[in-house]
Amino acid sequence: MIEIAELTKHYAETVAVDDLTFTVRPGQVTGFLGPNGAGKSTTMRMIVGLDRPDRGIATVNGIPYAEHPAPLRQVGALLEARSIHRGRSARNHLLALAQTHRFPARRVGEVLAMVGLEGVGHRRAGGFSLGMGQRLGVAAALLGDPAVVMMDEPTNGLDPDGVLWIRNLLKALAGEGRTVLVSSHLMSEMAVTAEHLIVIGRGRLVADTTVAELIARVEVDRVSVRSPEATDLRELLIGLGAKVTGLEAGLLEVSGLTAERISDVAFRNGLPVYELTPQRATLEQAYMELTKDSVEYRENERTAA
């Protein structure tokens, strides 16, 4: 478990993290979301002792990271995948970490196999592609078989197969009862990977909720309607003040009327309806609505060069 209490960090006049409090529980993937500059990376760095907070505390399983006798067995972190010795092979990079922390050498081969790099372990890590570097970073994070796994943008540079792999890996780690915290800007991935969300903006907590609860906060005034008499139904609905868009032959998207009202209109006029589906917000829509006042850089703020 990760526990953050009143965590605060300043850089000169900039408040990077502002009185932040939340808990990341084991057994589920927790997404850590927020706009650029929200304080996510700073928070993760403070959890593993790379930055010192001005106030507050971050603990892992009840103890600050630096006070654990074997910290890599407690927390495996992927914060910067390219933090490697470029002249070493992938295997030797991991072996140096293993020897430093008194892990058995066989563990290197195990994690290389877990991330799909067993066939290229002899190659210099400095020549790896971005995606391969990400996989090596994941291997390093898992080297100590940690109880807590924390990753910052783990899908960077991965192809679709790699994205699916990291999704399944995160879910499997959580399924083993580990605490999993993952930062990402890919809302589509968070929607299918995370169960819980911590959302911050300008260093402050904005939401601590489940994915379903966050999406449910956003009303979407759209109903998909499929009918072989879509043209006639369209005219009736427009006459009632609805906004109707034809998506394809026989399929309408209707705004301004509820599904119940549309059904009544179709029934009274003898028009068959094969589909009547109220639309739900996506996680991206819910996230954008939630963080709209926390975005530091906006399109209309650009200035000409």
Side-chain angles (χ1 to χ4, degrees), residues 93-134:
H93 168 69
L94 295 173
L95 186 60
L97 290 174
Q99 291 173 338
T100 301
H101 295 275
R102 299 181 181 178
F103 300 150
R106 60 177 168 76
R107 182 63 180 164
V108 171
E110 292 172 358
V111 294
L112 282 172
M114 287 176 65
V115 303
L117 294 179
E118 65 270 42
V120 295
H122 63 284
R123 288 175 50 182
R124 288 175 55 179
F128 277 7
S129 66
L130 179 58
M132 293 169 67
Q134 286 291 103

Side-chain angles (χ1 to χ4, degrees), residues 213-287:
E213 288 169 347
L214 181 58
I215 290 174
R217 294 183 186 184
V218 178
E219 295 285 343
V220 177
D221 179 28
R222 290 198 308 273
V223 181
S224 292
V225 184
R226 190 179 299 274
S227 171
E229 304 294 338
T231 301
D232 291 341
L233 182 57
R234 178 179 184 275
E235 295 305 316
L236 290 169
L237 297 176
I238 290 175
L240 293 172
K243 179 180 178 182
V244 183
T245 303
L247 300 179
E248 59 184 59
L251 179 62
L252 306 174
E253 183 176 84
V254 182
S255 300
L257 294 176
T258 65
E260 292 81 3
R261 186 75 188 283
I262 296 168
S263 176
D264 288 343
V265 171
F267 178 76
R268 287 199 309 268
N269 290 275
L271 301 177
V273 171
Y274 297 158
E275 177 188 347
L276 194 60
T277 308
Q279 300 298 300
R280 296 177 70 236
T282 65
L283 178 59
E284 181 175 17
Q285 289 171 322
Y287 167 80

Side-chain angles (χ1 to χ4, degrees), residues 197 199 206-220 280-281 286 289-290:
L197 297 173
V199 185
V206 176
D208 183 346
T209 185
T210 67
V211 173
E213 288 169 347
L214 181 58
I215 290 174
R217 294 183 186 184
V218 178
E219 295 285 343
V220 177
R280 296 177 70 236
E289 177 67 22
L290 186 67

